[in-house]
């Protein structure tokens, strides 16, 4: 099924012409309306007239996490505040989140893109879909919600945190689809099985994203729940869920190139790689009004396939991610940087700058443990001193990360120290297959 067959199946030549026109326009918009971008272009010796089409995209400077931090919160907005209708955010490398702002038309574009993804997964106006992503500043909940309403489906805005209620609503409301993280869906499947409720559900489709997952996980959830599972991709900075998704062929995620111009670059040379080669995904937003981004470095490693898909779509497919170029972790759908942990620990008296983040996946649920070296005096004090310190660290990390972590306090010099780049992460999950 297609939501917008004319666009999803347009010829590559027609698409390239549309992309060129939109690229020229968006470059002019940011140059004249965003002082931050104007300075970046001037520093690179560029004026809007130098960009005449796709062939000139490599002339443009990149946008990075660091640019988002420097321009925080609204320094990259291209319209007056009175035209903005929404703010979303996700964690950043420092204490400041990555902000994204939207106009009313941006919300319409987002809904359109999400609707394409959901339709590609077989969702129609006859479906009842539970949205099990978090609502609020996180883009997952509202992104899936608006897309589902755009399609005309009946939406149950479940959010996260109450699996029993989700299962009750799934059965009582006869939900036929669910949007959530893949690890959470497997947790739901286990609870359904334990309660002997598998024969009570009418689920047929799952749209899973917000964290890396493998084909083995897809096979497992499809077998356990007797459903079809589809992958969806998005970034808060670019838009949210709906940037790309896979079809029944499961041969990569179709990226909506009429709205997002993808490039694959070598993260070392910063030059575009050849067709089919793996590199870092770079995206330019072609229609975003509130906060357009030029050549945004996503840090995600992938390759791209531009041949026509067996589903009939001509939009390029980004392949399963091979990893990232930075040290960001995605834990239960939340972006976590070691630097956030370090910054939080340094605010607590008694801790040292030596720590280890241990991540694993147990029974399809991500686990997070933080080992922290603390002053020797805590091990000679009463046990309550250690307990109080552990509780303080737990609360501080929950505030900084939005996640609960198991805290393990260890004596000085218990962890590996290094004069060079110290390893702070031990990720035992097998995410990229």
């Amino acid at each position: 099924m297609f939501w917008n067959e004319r666009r999803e199946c347009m010829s590559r030549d027609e698409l390239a012409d549309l992309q060129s026109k939109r690229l020229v326009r968006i470059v002019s918009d940011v140059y004249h309306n965003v002082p931050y971008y104007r300075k970046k272009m001037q520093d690179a010796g560029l004026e809007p007239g130098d960009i005449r089409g796709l062939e000139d995209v490599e002339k443009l400077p990149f946008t990075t996490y660091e640019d988002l931090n420097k321009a925080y919160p609204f320094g990259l907005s291209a319209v007056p505040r009175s035209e903005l209708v929404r703010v979303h955010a996700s964690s950043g490398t420092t204490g400041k989140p990555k902000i994204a702002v939207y106009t009313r038309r941006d919300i319409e574009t987002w809904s359109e893109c999400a609707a394409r993804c959901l339709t590609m997964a077989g969702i129609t106006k006859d479906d009842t879909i539970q949205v099990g992503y978090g609502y609020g500043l996180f883009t997952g909940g509202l992104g899936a919600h608006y897309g589902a309403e755009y399609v005309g489906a009946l939406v149950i805005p479940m959010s996260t945190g109450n699996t029993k209620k989700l299962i009750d609503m799934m059965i009582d409301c006869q939900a036929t689809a669910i949007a959530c993280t893949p690890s959470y869906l497997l947790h739901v499947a286990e609870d359904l099985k334990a309660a002997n409720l598998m024969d009570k559900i009418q689920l047929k489709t799952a749209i899973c994203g917000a964290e890396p997952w493998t084909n083995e996980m897809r096979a497992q959830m499809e077998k356990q729940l007797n459903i079809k599972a589809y992958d969806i991709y998005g970034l808060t900075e670019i838009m949210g869920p709906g940037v790309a998704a896979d079809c029944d062929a499961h041969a990569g995620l179709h990226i909506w190139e009429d709205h997002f111009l993808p490039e694959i670059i070598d993260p070392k040379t910063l030059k575009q790689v050849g067709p089919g080669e793996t590199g870092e995904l770079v995206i330019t937003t072609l229609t975003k009004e509130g906060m357009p981004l030029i050549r945004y470095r996503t840090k995600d490693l992938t390759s791209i396939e531009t041949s026509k898909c067996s589903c009939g779509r001509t939009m390029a497919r980004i392949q399963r991610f091979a990893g990232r170029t930075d040290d960001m972790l995605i834990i239960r759908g939340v972006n976590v940087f070691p630097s956030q942990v370090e910054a939080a620990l340094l605010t607590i008296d008694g801790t040292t700058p030596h720590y280890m983040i241990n991540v694993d996946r147990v029974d399809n649920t991500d686990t997070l443990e933080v080992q922290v070296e603390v002053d020797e005096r805590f091990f000679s004090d009463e046990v309550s001193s250690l307990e109080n310190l552990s509780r303080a660290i737990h609360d501080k990390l929950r505030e900084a990360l939005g996640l609960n972590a198991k805290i393990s306090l260890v004596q000085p010099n218990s962890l590996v120290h290094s004069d060079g780049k110290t390893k702070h992460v031990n990720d035992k999950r097998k995410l990229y297959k």
Side-chain angles (χ1 to χ4, degrees):
M1 293 189 299
F2 300 97
W3 175 254
N4 189 337
E5 185 173 359
R6 184 178 68 84
R7 281 293 168 84
E8 295 173 49
C9 300
M10 65 196 307
S11 72
R12 296 297 301 178
D13 288 343
E14 184 184 4
L15 174 62
D17 182 62
L18 177 64
Q19 289 175 318
S20 286
K21 292 176 180 176
R22 287 182 168 179
L23 177 64
V24 169
R25 185 177 64 206
I26 206 72
V27 168
S28 177
D29 284 348
V30 299
Y31 185 89
H32 291 107
N33 299 318
V34 185
Y36 191 93
Y37 267 126
R38 182 162 58 250
K39 184 177 186 308
K40 281 178 73 77
M41 288 181 63
Q42 289 174 342
D43 289 346
L46 286 174
E47 294 183 354
D50 297 322
I51 308 302
R52 300 178 181 179
L54 293 180
E55 66 277 6
D56 296 320
V57 69
E58 285 194 275
K59 296 178 182 178
L60 292 164
F62 292 104
T63 306
T64 65
Y65 287 171
E66 290 71 30
D67 290 313
L68 298 185
N69 287 333
K70 290 176 182 177
Y72 178 89
F74 302 122
L76 292 180
S77 177
V79 299
R81 286 280 288 271
S82 60
E83 294 183 24
L84 298 175
V85 299
R86 178 89 63 81
V87 173
H88 279 289
S90 66
S91 60
T93 54
T94 67
K96 295 294 185 182
K98 291 176 287 185
I99 287 284
V101 291
Y102 304 75
T103 64
R104 191 173 302 281
R105 181 174 292 178
D106 289 336
I107 299 298
E108 284 289 316
T109 300
W110 188 5
S111 300
E112 157 76 18
C113 291
R116 293 183 192 181
C117 295
L118 296 178
T119 301
M120 195 156 50
I123 305 299
T124 73
K125 61 183 178 61
D126 297 319
D127 280 290
T128 298
I129 181 170
Q130 288 181 294
V131 177
Y133 294 119
Y135 281 68
L137 285 175
F138 177 58
T139 56
L142 286 171
H145 185 119
Y146 273 62
E149 285 190 343
Y150 214 60
V151 168
L154 176 61
V155 182
I156 307 173
M158 288 302 310
S159 192
T160 59
N162 192 332
T163 303
K164 182 182 182 304
K165 187 172 184 179
L166 181 143
I167 289 174
D168 287 343
M169 294 292 285
M170 180 183 290
I171 294 170
D172 296 343
C173 296
Q174 301 178 332
T176 56
I178 187 169
C180 62
T181 63
S183 57
Y184 182 62
L185 184 58
L186 285 170
H187 174 67
V188 171
E190 291 167 356
D191 283 6
L192 283 165
K193 184 177 179 180
N196 198 29
L197 293 173
M198 281 293 189
D199 61 343
K200 302 293 185 183
I201 65 172
Q202 297 189 29
L203 210 61
K204 66 176 184 178
T205 306
I207 298 92
C208 296
E211 65 184 16
W213 55 301
T214 63
N215 283 323
E216 287 77 6
M217 287 182 71
R218 185 201 303 276
Q220 187 177 357
M221 66 179 68
E222 288 185 338
K223 181 179 180 180
Q224 289 187 15
L225 292 164
N226 192 28
I227 61 171
K228 288 185 177 181
Y230 298 83
D231 198 356
I232 191 168
Y233 173 72
L235 307 86
T236 297
E237 311 92 283
I238 297 298
M239 184 180 70
V243 173
D246 65 350
C247 62
D248 282 325
H250 299 309
L253 281 68
H254 290 281
I255 180 168
W256 307 123
E257 294 179 274
D258 51 334
H259 295 287
F260 313 106
L261 176 64
E263 301 174 69
I264 305 295
I265 66 166
D266 183 317
K268 293 181 180 178
T269 66
L270 303 184
K271 299 297 183 181
Q272 290 182 0
V273 303
E277 293 184 26
T278 297
E280 181 182 346
L281 176 63
V282 172
I283 296 176
T284 296
T285 61
L286 296 176
T287 57
K288 192 94 177 282
E289 293 181 335
M291 196 180 88
L293 292 183
I294 303 298
R295 304 194 78 196
Y296 181 70
R297 295 185 61 182
T298 70
K299 304 295 185 179
D300 289 318
L301 292 171
T302 185
S303 60
I304 201 162
E305 174 59 57
T306 57
S307 63
K308 185 176 181 180
C309 181
S310 61
C311 73
R313 292 174 178 83
T314 54
M315 295 283 171
R317 286 160 284 150
I318 52 177
Q319 301 304 297
R320 182 168 291 278
F321 295 112
R324 291 182 57 82
T325 64
D326 63 3
D327 57 359
M328 188 185 84
L329 296 162
I330 302 178
I331 303 171
R332 298 174 224 148
V334 177
N335 297 345
V336 175
F337 292 91
S339 56
Q340 292 175 293
V341 174
E342 184 170 313
L345 292 176
L346 290 175
T347 66
I348 301 174
D349 182 49
T351 64
T352 75
H354 304 296
Y355 63 94
M356 176 62 73
I357 302 170
N358 296 310
V359 187
D360 204 349
R361 184 161 283 172
V362 178
D363 296 330
N364 298 310
T365 299
D366 290 342
T367 62
L368 173 62
E369 177 197 27
V370 181
Q371 294 177 292
V372 185
E373 287 188 12
V374 299
D375 290 348
E376 184 69 48
R377 60 186 168 87
F378 286 96
F379 292 92
S380 58
D381 288 345
E382 295 180 0
V383 174
S384 59
S385 297
L386 279 174
E387 292 176 343
N388 290 337
L389 179 59
S390 178
R391 189 177 302 110
I393 294 173
H394 173 276
D395 292 346
K396 191 68 177 179
L397 288 181
R398 183 175 59 187
E399 177 186 340
L401 307 178
L403 289 170
N404 287 313
K406 176 184 177 183
I407 308 300
S408 298
L409 305 183
V410 299
Q411 293 182 321
N413 299 310
S414 297
L415 302 176
V416 175
H417 296 187
S418 171
D419 293 332
K421 184 175 176 61
T422 301
K423 179 181 178 182
H424 286 299
V425 176
N426 178 25
D427 192 344
K428 299 178 183 179
R429 301 171 298 174
K430 297 178 180 178
L431 301 178
Y432 303 106
K433 290 186 177 180

